[in-house]
Structures are given as C-alpha cells and as structure tokens.
Amino acid sequence: MTYDFTSIIPRQGKDSLAVEGIGWGFAPKAPREGFDFIPMWIADMNFPTAPSISRRIMERAAHPLFGYFQPPEAYYQAIFNWQQRHGTKGLEKWQIGYHNGVLGGVASLMKAYTAPGDKVLLHSPAYIGFTHVLEDLGRPAELSPMVKDEAGIWRMDFEDMERRLKENHIHFAIFCSPHNPTGRVWEKWEIEKAMDLFAKYDCVVASDEIWADLILPGHKHIPTQSVSEEARRRTVAYYSPSKGFNLSGLWNSYSIAYDHTLQDRMVKQGDSSHYNSLNVLSMHALIGAYSDEGADWLSQLLQVIQGNIDLVCDFVRRELPGVTVSPPQSTYLVFLCCDEYVALSGRSMDEIINAAWDVGVGLQDGRPFFEPCGLRLNLALPRSRVEEALRRLKEHVFV
Ligand SMILES: Cc1ncc(COP(=O)(O)O)c(C=O)c1O
C-alpha cells in the first residue's frame, strides 16, 4: 500500500463527531474504565484522506484572498471526468446542481414536487437521514420492506412497492443506490424494474448515489438515470466525494438532472434559502479527490475495506451464533441481524447495545433504520481496530 491505512489517528479535538459526539444522538455513552473508544457508528472514515485533497486545499489557502467566486471550468471538468467511471458521458454544466449536502438536495427536490402530508416511498431498512428529512418536511415515509432471498441477498419487493405506490397515490420516491445500510449494489434489472414502477405511478425520483465511489470488487455501480429514457427524465441523481474520500465536514455535494424543469424547480428551492452556496476550499477538495491520485488512493482503500468486511463476515459466521450477516457489495458498513440471537439468548437489543458501548465498541442501533434486531458496524478503521472490536464483541457482548 502506498497510502496510510494502518495508523490509529487521534481525532479528539479535531472536529470529529465520530469521537467527540458521545452522548449525542446515536452515540449513547462513553466506555467504562479500561477500554478505549472504537468509533463504528456514524458513516465517517478513520483514515487520512487522499494526499491530493489536502495538497489542493493548502495550495489554495496559501493564496490569502477568499472573495466571492464562480466555480471554474476545472470544477466541472473534474465532475465530468469522474462520472465517466460510471459510464456517464456528455454531461453539460447546466445539468450539475450544487447542494450543501446530499440530504439538502433531496429536500429541495421534495419541496418542489410534493406538498406537506404527501407520502414518499422509500425502502427499509432505511438510512436515518432520509427519515429525518421526511419528518422535518412533514412528508410521511411509506416504507417498502426489503427482503432477503434464499442466498441471503437483500432485494426490493416489487409487488409491495407497487401496492404502496398505488394505494397511497405516491408521486415521489427516494431511491438509495448503492443502498445504505444493506450495502446492496443494485443490478441493472432491479433498477429497471423499480424505475418502471416509478414511471407507471408518475413518481419523481431522488436517486441518492452518494456511495457510488465505494463499490467493492466484483460489483458495478449503474447510474439510475442510465437505465432508460424515462429514468433519465424523471430522476435527479445525487453524488458527493464525501463518502468515498471522507469529506463530510467540507460539504460539497452535487446533482445531475437531464430535465430542465426538474433542474429549474429543484435549484429554485435550494437558491431561495440563500445559503446553498459552494465553499471555495470544498470546491478545491473535490478537484483534488476527483484526480488520478484520488482514484489510486480510492482503489487501495477499497482493498482495505474488503479485507475488513471479509474479516468481520467470517468472524460473525464462526463466532457469533444466531447473528447473521449479508456481505455488503458497497459502503464500509456491515449490517448484522440479531433476531435469532435475541430469541435464543433472551437478551434485549438494549442490553446488547449497552454492553457494546460499555466496552468501547461504538456500533449503531438498527432500530432507527426500522430493523428491530439490526446493528450497523462501520468498518472504515485500521484492521487492528476492527480485530480489537471483534474480540470485545465476542468476550463481552455476545456472551
Ligand atoms: C445514503 C446517504 N445519503 C446521504 C448521506 C448524507 O449526506 P450529506 O451529509 O451530504 O447530506 C449519507 C450519510 O451517511 C448517506 O448514507
């Protein structure tokens, strides 16, 4: 490895919710004495990012004038080049929209195309951020549960989706591709089938593709808009270097829309807040990420993540009876199902989660994802930390 994926970097005092946010939201408590903290909850990585990013920011910061600006050609070119990795060619500047966060972009589109009280379709388990946006905007979530097939792979239930779209007169869907928290990379036929339904019930689709940089070996990201003319027309896709390169604190998301009306109406919503503007250093970070060096760093990162995923999946199968895991095809998140363990042991999810946090394993409760016995583990940590977390889970949690 050319880059550093092994150092344990202290993050305390360095603007990190992952380690400083204990006692906040989904991070209930500090470890008891004798245990250090292993952050495995919020979707944020514990590796130093690609050097091309820090370098680009520092080069720009060395020029000490930070006035109003317009994104230069280099910004758009970086996006256009990067999108070719997914086979997307011929993009034009007007099709790119800036958003202060992917969720902000999804919220803008939703405000433009729904009214308070309108239901929005999404799949469960569901990423918590979506449910927060829906709650904040007063649009009830209509959850279509995903189901595991015989091979243990999470799939959409198309019959269920259709029934819900029809019965609830739904005209807006959030589609998460790749899917958080299950880590599914949808196959082409799956996206086509979902989009056929969304077209049949005339839905505008917010396709959240924020995880598209983190596709694990053997899988391929298929942009939702690429599957048909209809999909291209009714979908806005959201991307960001924030997941692949761990730049969430820099806020530099963008959207792709091919339909003028969709683009105009969404941009209007974002602009009318008067604080949806690109930050100059974030822009340079994106250019540094979407570079040859960024691509090289990312390919090494993916090998490290795959190694951690294999380690955890083998361990769970071997050492944690009653806990099941479907290996993710994307993301650095592993979603464990403890239904059988809970039934066998008689222990509650509260007890399990408490025991884990007690010994510093800061994992995430699956209940806010609508999975009553689910646990989400973030594996974007040096392997030695993952090994230590597994040891503690075996010795102190799943006893
Ligand atoms: C699927 C998905 N969408 C959106 C986000 C948040 O994006 P942002 O911070 O750009 O709003 C996350 C963060 O984990 C995510 O997993």
Side-chain angles (χ1 to χ4, degrees):
M1 293 278 161
T2 328
Y3 304 103
D4 182 4
F5 298 106
T6 51
S7 299
I8 300 168
I9 302 200
R11 300 181 69 187
Q12 203 72 34
K14 296 288 177 196
D15 317 309
S16 161
L17 191 61
V19 298
E20 295 174 330
I22 294 178
W24 173 92
F26 301 108
K29 61 174 181 178
R32 69 171 191 250
E33 225 178 287
F35 292 94
D36 61 353
F37 183 60
I38 307 177
M40 302 182 98
W41 60 292
I42 200 163
D44 158 306
M45 295 199 273
N46 295 274
F47 302 120
T49 194
S52 51
I53 298 173
S54 311
R55 210 171 45 239
R56 183 96 200 185
I57 293 176
M58 287 189 285
E59 277 167 15
R60 178 59 188 84
H63 173 76
L65 286 92
F66 301 97
Y68 291 118
F69 73 103
Q70 276 188 325
E73 233 13 75
Y75 169 73
Y76 291 102
Q77 276 311 323
I79 292 176
F80 297 165
N81 289 343
W82 195 255
Q83 285 297 329
Q84 291 196 25
R85 291 163 67 90
H86 309 308
T88 304
K89 295 196 177 116
L91 282 169
E92 294 176 34
K93 272 156 77 167
W94 72 265
Q95 294 162 341
I96 308 299
Y98 169 75
H99 304 281
N100 187 357
V102 160
L103 291 178
V106 171
S108 292
L109 187 67
M110 203 185 300
K111 280 197 273 181
Y113 282 93
T114 59
D118 283 349
K119 287 189 172 175
V120 168
L121 189 95
L122 82 152
H123 297 103
S124 64
Y127 163 55
I128 305 161
F130 296 144
T131 26
H132 283 166
V133 170
L134 290 165
E135 273 167 30
D136 290 344
L137 296 182
R139 273 70 164 172
E142 181 66 24
L143 297 172
S144 177
M146 288 161 61
V147 281
K148 282 193 192 170
D149 68 11
E150 320 75 59
I153 298 175
W154 290 94
R155 303 274 180 194
M156 288 179 264
D157 180 342
F158 296 104
E159 260 178 48
D160 180 81
M161 281 167 68
E162 172 147 26
R163 183 179 59 73
R164 291 176 194 277
L165 288 168
K166 190 171 172 182
E167 282 177 6
N168 296 287
H169 306 276
I170 290 176
H171 297 292
F172 194 99
I174 298 177
F175 187 59
C176 192
S177 175
H179 185 264
N180 173 10
T182 65
R184 268 311 308 285
V185 174
W186 304 114
E187 292 168 45
K188 188 159 185 246
W189 69 268
E190 294 176 291
I191 304 175
E192 282 169 349
K193 255 182 122 159
M195 289 310 298
D196 284 350
L197 282 178
F198 295 144
K200 182 169 172 188
Y201 292 94
D202 199 14
C203 292
V204 167
V205 180
S207 182
D208 180 337
E209 303 180 31
I210 195 170
W211 288 99
D213 289 329
L214 290 168
I215 303 293
L216 293 160
H219 301 279
K220 181 168 170 38
H221 175 66
I222 297 172
T224 302
Q225 289 156 321
S226 71
V227 302
S228 65
E229 245 337 286
E230 264 296 329
R232 193 175 156 92
R233 202 174 65 72
R234 61 177 60 254
T235 303
V236 177
Y238 297 90
Y239 289 93
S240 171
S242 62
K243 291 293 153 209
F245 294 92
N246 207 34
L247 305 180
S248 296
L250 287 172
W251 299 102
N252 49 15
S253 316
Y254 61 95
S255 58
I256 299 175
Y258 296 100
D259 180 271
H260 279 281
T261 312
L262 276 187
Q263 176 73 342
D264 289 349
R265 297 192 65 190
M266 172 183 64
V267 168
K268 181 78 189 156
Q269 285 291 336
D271 285 355
S272 62
S273 72
H274 292 273
Y275 36 66
N276 188 40
S277 303
L278 183 55
N279 173 300
V280 73
L281 294 182
S282 304
M283 180 186 72
H284 283 280
L286 178 143
I287 297 171
Y290 286 1
S291 63
D292 289 346
E293 192 177 347
D296 191 34
W297 179 87
L298 188 61
S299 70
Q300 294 190 20
L301 168 78
L302 287 168
Q303 289 175 42
V304 173
I305 290 172
Q306 184 67 67
N308 287 353
I309 289 171
D310 293 344
L311 173 74
V312 169
C313 292
D314 288 350
F315 183 90
V316 168
R317 286 175 183 144
R318 220 179 39 243
E319 303 285 347
L320 306 184
V323 181
T324 55
V325 59
S326 305
Q329 303 166 342
S330 168
T331 78
Y332 41 73
L333 308 166
V334 165
F335 203 60
L336 305 180
C337 294
C338 307
D339 309 58
E340 229 183 293
Y341 175 81
V342 167
L344 288 172
S345 66
R347 297 173 75 211
S348 70
M349 285 310 287
D350 279 335
E351 284 176 71
I352 296 167
I353 290 162
N354 256 314
W357 279 81
D358 234 14
V359 294
V361 181
L363 42 68
Q364 192 145 3
D365 186 351
R367 286 170 289 190
F369 296 82
F370 304 103
E371 204 50 37
C373 295
L375 291 176
R376 196 184 77 166
L377 256 64
N378 173 345
L379 304 186
L381 294 144
R383 188 179 171 98
S384 60
R385 295 270 74 193
V386 178
E387 286 167 343
E388 176 59 20
L390 292 177
R391 195 184 61 72
R392 293 184 200 174
L393 285 178
K394 170 83 183 149
E395 282 177 18
H396 302 278
V397 182
F398 292 95
V399 285

